[in-house]
Amino acid sequence: MKEEHLVINAEGIILGRLCSYVAKKALLGYHVDVVYVEKCIITGTPQIIFAKFIRFRRMGEPFHGPFIGRSAQDLFKRSLRRMLPHKKARGINALARVKAYKGLPARYKDQKLETLAQSHVSKVPNTKYVRLEEVTKFLGGNT
């Protein structure tokens, strides 16, 4: 069986729609690499989004978890994990087939990047949103 490989440009794409697309492709056996993950969009007012992430960070205890990452890649993978059967073998394998990159790695400069036109933020009128890099900066992660 020939392994299929997708490279997706996440710039301006709504996070939930991107994760659902990537989850489906990963479950079907595709290897998916998502580039420019810090430029994907979370819809909603900034106050509500930041309050949600503050609540996530304050849950639990420092040694017992839940452990919420601060980088854009970690936040993307956590959103993706929620859309997979991550406690079963096929979900674990699907999550392992997905890689998230901040920016564009050198090996993908010559490759054609797939984009999800139907999931772009411009398709939803009058939407308030925050980029994932702003959430990362708010949480104190490296930008």
Side-chain angles (χ1 to χ4, degrees), residues 104-138:
L104 182 66
R107 65 175 174 247
Y108 297 129
K109 289 200 189 279
D110 299 332
Q111 244 181 353
K112 184 176 180 290
L113 303 178
E114 182 181 339
T115 185
L116 307 176
Q118 71 275 13
S119 301
H120 199 271
V121 72
S122 63
K123 299 288 183 185
V124 183
N126 301 325
T127 303
K128 296 178 182 174
Y129 62 87
V130 174
R131 290 188 186 274
L132 198 56
E133 63 188 345
E134 295 172 24
V135 175
T136 301
K137 189 182 294 184
F138 178 77

Side-chain angles (χ1 to χ4, degrees), residues 26-27 77 80-81 83-99:
L27 285 172
K77 291 282 271 208
L80 176 66
R81 184 177 151 231
M83 298 187 183
L84 292 169
H86 64 273
K87 293 185 179 180
K88 297 185 179 181
R90 69 187 282 254
I92 293 168
N93 293 335
L95 190 60
R97 283 191 290 269
V98 178
K99 303 278 189 254

Side-chain angles (χ1 to χ4, degrees), residues 50-62 65-71 74-75 78 135 138-141:
F50 292 148
K52 180 180 92 168
F53 282 102
I54 286 174
R55 187 178 67 82
F56 282 158
R57 293 288 297 169
R58 291 185 180 162
M59 266 196 281
E61 297 177 12
F67 304 108
I68 311 294
R70 295 182 195 179
S71 70
D74 291 343
L75 294 173
R78 186 168 178 86
V135 175
F138 178 77
L139 292 175

Side-chain angles (χ1 to χ4, degrees), residues 18-66:
L18 174 66
C19 287
S20 64
Y21 179 81
V22 170
K24 183 65 176 178
K25 290 297 184 180
L27 285 172
L28 290 174
Y30 288 84
H31 288 270
V32 183
D33 291 341
V34 183
V35 296
Y36 295 118
V37 75
E38 75 277 5
K39 294 182 181 178
C40 68
I41 302 293
I42 301 174
T43 57
T45 60
Q47 294 83 15
I48 292 173
I49 293 169
F50 292 148
K52 180 180 92 168
F53 282 102
I54 286 174
R55 187 178 67 82
F56 282 158
R57 293 288 297 169
R58 291 185 180 162
M59 266 196 281
E61 297 177 12
F63 297 111
H64 299 290

